[in-house]
Amino acid sequence: MTHSERHILGVSGGRDSAALAVYMRQHYPDLPLEYFFTDTGKELPEVYTFLDRLEGFLGKPILRLNPDRDFDFWLDEYGHFLPSARTRWCTRQLKLRPLEQWIRPDLESGTIIHSYVAIRADEPTREGYQATHPNMRVHLPLREAGIDRQGVIEMLDQADVGEPEYYKWRSRSGCTFCFFQQKIEWVRLAEHHPDRFEEAVRYEKTALKDGSPFTWSQGESLPELIEPARVEQIKADYERRVARLRDRRNRNPLAVGLPESVDDIYGIDEAAGGCVICHK
Ligand code: SF4
């Protein structure tokens, strides 16, 4: 008895998964790929603009998978404990759960599901993309084709998809208040999307009031982080990092380009945080 097969590719709003979608469209135009995006409901507005552009290139809609319960429901369920790197209920409930609900019936009835995941050739092996069901097959085409970070940037550029706008001030896709963001990125969130920053402040206040031990950013609350003197300090720290990296690159003749954006800085240690589901 033969079972049917499906091919799925999750885009996160980040550049690697977008490049993978472009790559698959270019190299396997006849594969019946289903593109999907799991929407936490707390995404940056720039993500939607980018998805629209990507859809234009793919000539096909990217299916939006919405969680059956939203962030506020789960926050309440988890006793107002903000999600954190150690207690990451958000990815589980708002990203993985909708995906599972979408494909589980097919997996259970014997359909083989091929999932294409955007791990680049220059990344260390990371967890989080292993098959979770015997009928699931995970493929890493970028890694197999030897495509690295620079290759991804070039591919998006050549396809005229370009980069999501938020890369000018922030290194990762995902929720506006993602706890993986660096302090400079919080400062920039406040500058670029003050309403979203305020929303994060409200969540944090409620959480602290209800006994959550977590603030979004380690060691300080968002109102503390956004005090003018503290902002100056965070910006100065960031500039020092940029200068150090620039210096290192200048001494290494093989390094091309100078770091100019937050992404150039945090791109170098992106494997240290973030996750393959939200930030690829
Ligand atoms: S982007 Fe960050 S906050 Fe949002 S679901 Fe992923 S890990 Fe959680």
Side-chain angles (χ1 to χ4, degrees), residues 1-4 109-110:
M1 175 177 157
T2 55
H3 293 291
S4 57
S109 65

Side-chain angles (χ1 to χ4, degrees), residues 42-49 165-167 169-170 174-177 181 185-202 222 226:
K42 299 294 177 186
E43 311 281 340
L44 289 164
E46 292 95 324
V47 166
Y48 300 104
T49 319
E165 279 291 310
Y166 60 78
Y167 277 142
W169 57 274
R170 161 174 164 143
C175 302
T176 52
F177 46 59
Q181 66 196 303
E185 297 176 295
W186 279 110
V187 168
R188 288 177 170 176
L189 177 68
E191 289 169 356
H192 286 259
H193 295 292
D195 55 329
R196 304 303 176 98
F197 186 84
E198 276 314 310
E199 181 186 49
V201 169
R202 281 198 300 277
L222 292 183
I226 210 69

Side-chain angles (χ1 to χ4, degrees), residues 25-68:
R25 174 79 186 76
Q26 287 171 334
H27 291 82
Y28 303 94
D30 298 327
L31 203 65
L33 262 172
E34 298 171 68
Y35 302 100
F36 69 94
F37 168 69
T38 42
D39 192 337
T40 61
K42 299 294 177 186
E43 311 281 340
L44 289 164
E46 292 95 324
V47 166
Y48 300 104
T49 319
F50 183 61
L51 292 181
D52 289 347
R53 255 193 350 254
L54 184 58
E55 274 180 335
F57 174 85
L58 298 173
K60 210 167 161 171
I62 296 166
L63 182 70
R64 317 293 159 111
L65 297 179
N66 296 305
D68 53 349

Side-chain angles (χ1 to χ4, degrees), residues 37-231:
F37 168 69
T38 42
D39 192 337
T40 61
K42 299 294 177 186
E43 311 281 340
L44 289 164
E46 292 95 324
V47 166
Y48 300 104
T49 319
F50 183 61
L51 292 181
D52 289 347
R53 255 193 350 254
L54 184 58
E55 274 180 335
F57 174 85
L58 298 173
K60 210 167 161 171
I62 296 166
L63 182 70
R64 317 293 159 111
L65 297 179
N66 296 305
D68 53 349
R69 311 277 199 179
D70 64 7
F71 180 83
D72 290 20
F73 170 88
W74 292 112
L75 186 62
D76 194 44
E77 196 78 352
Y78 286 91
H80 288 279
F81 270 44
L82 296 178
S84 68
R86 283 179 60 192
T87 316
R88 224 169 81 204
W89 55 259
C90 47
T91 312
R92 160 109 283 284
Q93 305 298 359
L94 298 169
K95 291 275 179 186
L96 289 173
R97 196 175 131 98
L99 171 60
E100 276 166 15
Q101 286 170 343
W102 184 48
I103 59 174
R104 185 155 291 276
D106 275 357
L107 284 173
E108 295 297 330
S109 65
T111 301
I112 302 293
I113 299 198
H114 298 273
S115 172
Y116 298 82
V117 180
I119 303 291
R120 302 185 315 255
D122 57 335
E123 285 183 289
T125 304
R126 292 163 68 176
E127 290 177 8
Y129 55 83
Q130 285 84 2
T132 48
H133 190 281
N135 289 335
M136 183 102 152
R137 310 272 189 275
V138 174
H139 306 273
L140 310 176
L142 295 181
R143 169 169 287 185
E144 280 156 26
I147 296 167
D148 60 8
R149 185 165 181 268
Q150 195 53 36
V152 156
I153 293 171
E154 280 163 20
M155 206 187 316
L156 289 176
D157 191 41
Q158 279 157 17
D160 239 2
V161 172
E163 306 238 295
E165 279 291 310
Y166 60 78
Y167 277 142
K168 291 194 182 119
W169 57 274
R170 161 174 164 143
S171 64
R172 295 191 181 95
S173 55
C175 302
T176 52
F177 46 59
C178 183
F179 44 83
F180 280 120
Q181 66 196 303
Q182 309 289 325
K183 299 203 182 266
I184 184 75
E185 297 176 295
W186 279 110
V187 168
R188 288 177 170 176
L189 177 68
E191 289 169 356
H192 286 259
H193 295 292
D195 55 329
R196 304 303 176 98
F197 186 84
E198 276 314 310
E199 181 186 49
V201 169
R202 281 198 300 277
Y203 280 129
E204 190 179 73
K205 279 193 178 140
T206 316
L208 291 172
K209 183 167 66 59
D210 286 341
S212 161
F214 306 117
T215 45
W216 287 120
S217 185
Q218 221 183 345
E220 59 194 329
S221 69
L222 292 183
E224 285 165 339
L225 186 147
I226 210 69
E227 287 283 332
R230 180 68 181 123
V231 167

